[in-house]
Amino acid sequence: MDSDDEINSVQSSEDDFMDDEDSLGEDFDAVEEPDDFGFSQDKDIKPRKQAYEVDFKVWGPGQIQDQQDKQVEEVSAVIGQPTESTAILLRHARWNKERLIESYMDKRDEVLESSGLSEDKEGSASITKADDFMCDICCEDGKDLDTFAMKCGHRFCVNCYRTYLASKIRDEGEAARIKCPGEGCERIVDSKSLKLLVTEDLKDRYHELLTRTYVDDMNNLKWCPAPDCTYAVECGVKQKDLTKIVPTVTCSCGHHFCFGCSLNDHQPAPCMLVKKWMKKCEDDSETANWISANTKECPKCHSTIEKNGGCNHMTCRKCRHEFCWMCMGVWSEHGTSWYNCNRYEEKSGSDARDAQAKSRQSLERYLHYYNRYANHEQSAKLDKDIYLKTEKKMTQLQSSSNMSWIEVQFLQEASQALQQCRQTLKWTYAFAYYLARNNLTEIFEDNQKDLEMAVENLSEMFEKSTDQLAGLKVEMLDKTSYCKRRRIILLNDTAENLKSGMILIIPNS
Amino acid sequence: MFASKRLGKELSKLQSSTPPGITLVKADDFEEWEMDIRVLDSNPIYNGQTFRLKFRFTPSYPIEPPEVVFVKSDTRPIPMHPHIYTNGIICLDLLDRQGWSPVHNVESVCISLQSMLTSNTKNERPPGDEDFSRRNRLRPRDVNFLFHDNTV
Ligand SMILES: [Zn+2]
Ligand SMILES: [Zn+2]
Ligand SMILES: [Zn+2]
Ligand SMILES: [Zn+2]
C-alpha cells in the first residue's frame, strides 16, 4: 500500500462524515426528494450523514505507526524518558497516556520496575551460567548451561526460554504481554529481555505484533476484519452505547462491518440481538432445517416448484398460479394494502391455553421470522448468481451489438443494491423477532414491507431475458434508486427510535 | 526432538515410581501415553472407580500443552464432573495454551486432575454437555472453552 493511497482514503471518509448531528432533518428531506436520473448522478451528490450512520475514520498501516510514534514522543517529552523506554511504558500501560503519566509522577520506581525498565542492580536480567542448576522445562543440567531469569527468579536454560518465546510470537501471535514460563507467574517478559533472547528471524514478526497491540489496546480503534486487510477503523462509539446505536463502518477496502462486534453489517439490529439471534438459530438449526429447501409445492396444483432466482414472486409453470414463496399466499394481495407477508399474526389467546399449544405457538412465531431471515439470505445468493449469469450474457451481447461498456453498468448497480437491501431485510426479521408490540412496531413493519416490495420488484427484473433487459435500463435504474431510498428511510427511522429508546425489546425472548 | 528428550526423562521417572493413585499404563512412544488415575479418599461419586487418561504430545511439548482426555472402556468410565464432558473432553485452564506452563508435566497434570476429582461434590456434567458431546468434532485443543471458573 503506498502512502498516497492512504492519505486519499482518509481524506474522502473525512469529507463524507464531516456533518454533525444537527443536520439530520435536512438530510432526511433530501432523501425524500425524487432525485437522480441515473447512477452517474449518485457519485456527484456529496453523501451526507444519515441518522443511521456514525462518524469514523480509516487508517492505513503507515498512519497507525505515525500515530503511535506521535503519542510516544508526546509522553516522552513529559516524563523525560528516552522514546524507546517510553514506548515500553506505554505498551505496558495499554496506551493509557493519562494514567501512565499520573502513576509515573506518583511512583516512578515502581512503574519502571513493573515494566522491566529498572536499573539492574545485581545484573539479573542477563544470560548467565548457574551452579547446581536443572532446567525445569528440558530437564538438562550442568554448570556450562546458559540460563536466564527475570526478577521473579524463575530460571530456565536459554534454549528453552528461546523456544518458549518463539512459540508465543510465531504460533500464538503474542508480543507485548508474554508471561514468564514459570508456573502461575504473572511477570511479563519485558522488551529488554526479549531483545536479549528473541532470535533474528523473529524480530520482524515481533515488531509487527507490537504495532498490532496498539490498535488492540485502543477502544476507539478496530482492525478491519476482512481477510488480509491491513487498515484500522477509528470510531468513537462506546461499548455501552451499543444498545442504542448500530455503528456500521466501511473500510477503504470496501468491507462494511459493525464497529461494535466486527461482524458483517447487521443494521438495523443492535449487536446484542444479533448475538442472541445467531445463538438461537444455532440451537434450533435442526427444527428449522426444512425451511432452507429449494423446492416447494404450488399451493394450488401441488406440482413441485424449484426456486432458481432471488425473487419471491412465484408463478407455477403448470397452473400459472401466482404466489409468494415466503408466506405461500396469493401474490396479487402483495401489491395492495392487504400485504402482510412480513407481519406475524398472533393467534387469538384462547386457543393457546395449555403449555403444548403455547410452545407450538412460540415455535411458529420463531419460524415465521426465521423463514424470512433465511429466505433473504438465500435470495441474496440467488440474486447474485442470476446477476453473474446475466452479466456474462450482456458482455456477449455487447460484443455482438453496439452497446458500450458503460451501458451495462446499471446491472451491476442494481445487483449491488439488491445485495445490500436483502442484507438489511434479513436483519429486520431477526430484529422484529425481539420487538415488543407498540405503535412503532407497525411503522417498522410498514417500512419493512415497503422495502421488501421494492426489493422483490427489482429482483424480478433480473429474470427478464437479456434482449429485453437492454430496453429496461431506465426502469431498472428507477427501481434501484427507489430500493436504496426505502432502505435509508427504514434505517433512519429505526436508528432514531433506537436512540431515543422508543423501541422496546421483549425481555428474555 | 525437544519433546522426546523431556519425555524420556519423564518416563524413566514414572517407571521408577508414581504418586499414590496414579499408574503408568502405556508409553510405547513419545506421541501417545495412557495413565490411570484413582481418587484416594472415599468420595462417594467415584467410589471404587479407576479412570483412564490419554495424553497426546506434539513435537513442541512441553512448550505446548499436551492434549489430555479421559477415554472410556468397559472397566474405565468417564468421571462425572461439572468440567468433564461425556466424550471425555476436559475443561481445565491448565490444559489450555493460556493456562499452561512448560514446567508442568504428565505427573503434575495427573495430580491436578486427581485433586480436581477429589474435591468435587457435584455428581453432574457441564451445562450443554449433551449438545457438545454429540456435535463436537474438534480436537480438544481447538475447542475454545469459556472456563466455568478458574478455581478448580
Ligand atoms: Zn531447558
Ligand atoms: Zn516468573
Ligand atoms: Zn478492510
Ligand atoms: Zn454489531
Side-chain angles (χ1 to χ4, degrees):
Chain A
M1 193 53 57
D2 74 43
S3 56
D4 278 351
D5 261 12
E6 285 166 18
I7 286 159
N8 284 338
S9 69
V10 167
Q11 210 60 46
S12 68
S13 52
E14 224 170 18
D15 283 351
D16 295 356
F17 301 99
M18 282 234 291
D19 300 318
D20 58 25
E21 309 233 347
D22 296 336
S23 57
L24 276 179
E26 188 193 336
D27 288 343
F28 202 73
D29 289 344
V31 174
E32 300 276 45
E33 269 164 32
D35 51 8
D36 46 291
F37 309 97
F39 60 95
S40 56
Q41 291 269 316
D42 283 2
K43 293 215 168 64
D44 300 326
I45 297 168
K46 197 178 150 195
R48 303 268 198 141
K49 199 181 136 199
Q50 306 280 355
Y52 68 89
E53 291 176 325
V54 291
D55 289 309
F56 65 90
K57 204 167 173 177
V58 183
W59 298 90
Q63 293 171 311
I64 299 166
Q65 191 58 54
D66 291 350
Q67 213 183 88
Q68 246 180 101
D69 294 347
K70 222 179 98 209
Q71 304 242 33
V72 169
E73 268 161 43
E74 255 176 60
V75 176
S76 163
V78 176
I79 64 173
Q81 283 277 347
T83 49
E84 199 188 331
S85 311
T86 309
I88 295 170
L89 288 168
L90 269 168
R91 273 181 213 119
H92 191 73
R94 302 201 170 227
W95 293 93
N96 190 328
K97 264 195 302 194
E98 290 73 24
R99 206 178 55 198
L100 170 64
I101 293 171
E102 201 178 298
S103 57
Y104 185 87
M105 297 305 178
D106 242 24
K107 34 188 182 177
R108 178 178 177 273
D109 290 346
E110 219 173 286
V111 170
L112 288 175
E113 157 74 34
S114 66
S115 311
L117 284 174
S118 58
E119 300 296 308
D120 289 322
K121 286 167 202 111
E122 315 100 41
S124 56
S126 63
I127 296 173
T128 53
K129 299 190 199 312
D131 288 338
D132 251 352
F133 170 82
M134 192 200 72
C135 173
D136 281 334
I137 298 178
C138 63
C139 301
E140 294 286 339
D141 50 14
K143 282 197 181 72
D144 298 331
L145 216 55
D146 277 332
T147 71
F148 183 83
M150 291 185 295
K151 286 266 160 77
C152 59
H154 295 116
R155 185 167 294 277
F156 302 100
C157 80
V158 164
N159 189 19
C160 283
Y161 230 118
R162 287 210 163 110
T163 315
Y164 172 77
L165 293 177
S167 155
K168 290 283 167 188
I169 294 167
R170 195 189 305 115
D171 307 335
E172 292 176 49
E174 284 191 48
R177 274 179 287 279
I178 302 173
K179 284 183 195 164
C180 160
E183 185 189 346
C185 183
E186 295 293 318
R187 177 116 199 157
I188 305 291
V189 183
D190 57 275
S191 0
K192 218 179 203 171
S193 307
L194 276 160
K195 225 180 212 162
L196 212 57
L197 295 166
V198 168
T199 47
E200 262 330 296
D201 56 322
L202 277 173
K203 284 208 163 124
D204 285 348
R205 174 78 180 137
Y206 172 65
H207 284 289
E208 195 186 305
L209 287 166
L210 278 185
T211 310
R212 280 199 84 86
T213 60
Y214 172 72
V215 174
D216 294 338
D217 283 346
M218 302 292 270
N219 288 328
N220 60 343
L221 285 178
K222 278 235 165 88
W223 292 107
C224 167
D228 301 325
C229 181
T230 53
Y231 288 92
V233 176
E234 179 181 347
C235 174
V237 173
K238 305 266 189 312
Q239 205 64 25
K240 65 171 168 47
D241 301 327
L242 292 177
T243 50
K244 291 185 178 301
I245 301 173
V246 190
T248 309
V249 298
T250 307
C251 178
S252 297
C253 74
H255 183 60
H256 300 279
F257 69 97
C258 170
F259 187 81
C261 65
S262 293
L263 290 173
N264 283 353
D265 172 16
H266 57 68
Q267 279 179 327
C271 297
M272 48 51 179
L273 290 189
V274 169
K275 227 171 119 193
K276 260 179 144 176
W277 176 257
M278 300 216 298
K279 174 90 178 49
K280 178 159 183 61
C281 293
E282 199 180 300
D283 292 349
D284 295 354
S285 62
E286 275 157 39
T287 335
N289 254 349
W290 58 273
I291 288 167
S292 51
N294 255 343
T295 55
K296 284 185 184 175
E297 271 184 11
C298 165
K300 208 173 170 195
C301 73
H302 301 289
S303 56
T304 305
I305 291 180
E306 196 178 344
K307 195 165 189 280
N308 49 13
C311 176
N312 290 307
H313 177 184
M314 307 302 292
T315 305
C316 174
R317 285 231 174 92
K318 247 188 180 151
C319 72
R320 310 303 301 165
H321 177 61
E322 290 177 56
F323 65 98
C324 165
W325 180 264
M326 273 202 262
C327 68
M328 302 301 278
V330 184
W331 184 261
S332 56
E333 289 175 0
H334 280 66
T336 70
S337 53
W338 290 100
Y339 181 97
N340 60 3
C341 171
N342 63 326
R343 187 164 296 163
Y344 177 72
E345 297 291 344
E346 207 79 54
K347 298 255 165 58
S348 58
S350 58
D351 56 357
R353 283 275 158 73
D354 59 296
Q356 207 192 343
K358 276 215 180 84
S359 101
R360 199 178 50 232
Q361 201 178 65
S362 94
L363 179 66
E364 259 173 40
R365 182 173 180 279
Y366 165 65
L367 286 179
H368 168 91
Y369 291 108
Y370 180 76
N371 191 355
R372 283 151 184 80
Y373 166 87
N375 195 61
H376 280 298
E377 190 170 73
Q378 185 199 34
S379 294
K381 281 192 203 102
L382 294 170
D383 279 336
K384 192 163 195 176
D385 288 350
I386 220 163
Y387 157 69
L388 292 174
K389 268 185 228 151
T390 312
E391 194 203 29
K392 211 169 155 193
K393 275 192 267 173
M394 289 301 262
T395 323
Q396 284 163 0
L397 198 75
Q398 242 177 54
S399 46
S400 62
S401 72
N402 56 359
M403 262 210 292
S404 67
W405 175 78
I406 194 77
E407 275 181 293
V408 294
Q409 279 285 294
F410 72 95
L411 283 175
Q412 195 194 352
E413 179 95 358
S415 168
Q416 273 167 2
L418 265 184
Q419 296 293 312
Q420 198 174 36
C421 289
R422 287 217 192 265
Q423 174 89 354
T424 303
L425 274 172
K426 176 179 120 173
W427 285 109
T428 61
Y429 282 110
F431 191 25
Y433 176 74
Y434 293 104
L435 284 186
R437 282 218 158 258
N438 62 17
N439 56 337
L440 280 175
T441 338
E442 305 253 318
I443 299 173
F444 178 77
E445 283 172 341
D446 285 345
N447 279 330
Q448 187 184 39
K449 176 190 78 183
D450 289 340
L451 176 59
E452 194 158 65
M453 281 167 60
V455 162
E456 297 304 345
N457 280 335
L458 180 59
S459 175
E460 205 167 344
M461 296 199 74
F462 274 95
E463 287 169 16
K464 296 272 194 296
S465 66
T466 331
D467 45 330
Q468 272 178 300
L469 270 179
L472 291 169
K473 179 180 163 185
V474 176
E475 198 184 339
M476 203 149 188
L477 284 171
D478 273 355
K479 287 194 163 139
T480 303
S481 66
Y482 183 67
C483 275
K484 286 187 186 167
R485 271 203 311 271
R486 292 303 338 168
R487 178 174 170 270
I488 290 170
I489 291 168
L490 183 146
L491 289 181
N492 273 340
D493 259 18
T494 320
E496 275 165 4
N497 290 327
L498 200 63
K499 206 174 269 176
S500 62
M502 301 274 277
I503 284 183
L504 299 176
I505 308 296
I506 303 175
N508 303 320
S509 50
Chain B
M1 181 213 107
F2 204 83
S4 44
K5 203 148 106 199
R6 153 89 175 247
L7 283 167
K9 296 211 164 131
E10 279 193 53
L11 185 59
S12 55
K13 187 165 174 278
L14 286 171
Q15 275 164 342
S16 65
S17 80
T18 51
I22 295 169
T23 31
L24 175 69
V25 179
K26 201 180 101 188
D28 300 338
D29 52 34
F30 294 139
E31 280 164 22
E32 203 176 292
W33 290 8
E34 285 182 3
M35 303 289 292
D36 270 354
I37 63 166
R38 170 169 64 78
V39 172
L40 294 174
D41 72 349
S42 54
N43 187 335
I45 305 175
Y46 309 112
N47 230 342
Q49 295 177 25
T50 304
F51 308 106
R52 174 133 326 157
L53 284 166
K54 186 155 88 185
F55 283 73
R56 273 194 185 149
F57 310 100
T58 66
S60 0
Y61 174 84
I63 299 298
E64 270 184 22
E67 184 179 292
V68 187
V69 291
F70 281 101
V71 284
K72 199 182 153 153
S73 70
D74 292 345
T75 52
R76 301 280 184 267
I78 305 287
M80 279 302 256
H81 190 284
H83 294 182
I84 301 170
Y85 292 86
T86 311
N87 57 11
I89 291 183
I90 308 159
C91 170
L92 177 67
D93 68 341
L94 165 73
L95 298 174
D96 177 78
R97 280 181 167 222
Q98 296 304 313
W100 173 257
S101 154
V103 173
H104 286 300
N105 53 45
V106 174
E107 186 182 292
S108 72
V109 170
C110 288
I111 292 173
S112 297
L113 287 168
Q114 191 185 38
S115 82
M116 175 173 136
L117 296 181
T118 306
S119 59
N120 178 38
T121 52
K122 291 185 187 145
N123 193 14
E124 59 189 45
R125 293 284 175 211
D129 172 58
E130 208 184 304
D131 232 35
F132 175 74
S133 303
R134 185 159 41 98
R135 286 187 196 178
N136 182 55
R137 299 278 173 275
L138 293 173
R139 299 276 303 266
R141 51 178 292 165
D142 299 324
V143 178
N144 264 323
F145 284 117
L146 279 171
F147 293 101
H148 303 304
D149 63 69
N150 288 319
T151 55
V152 186

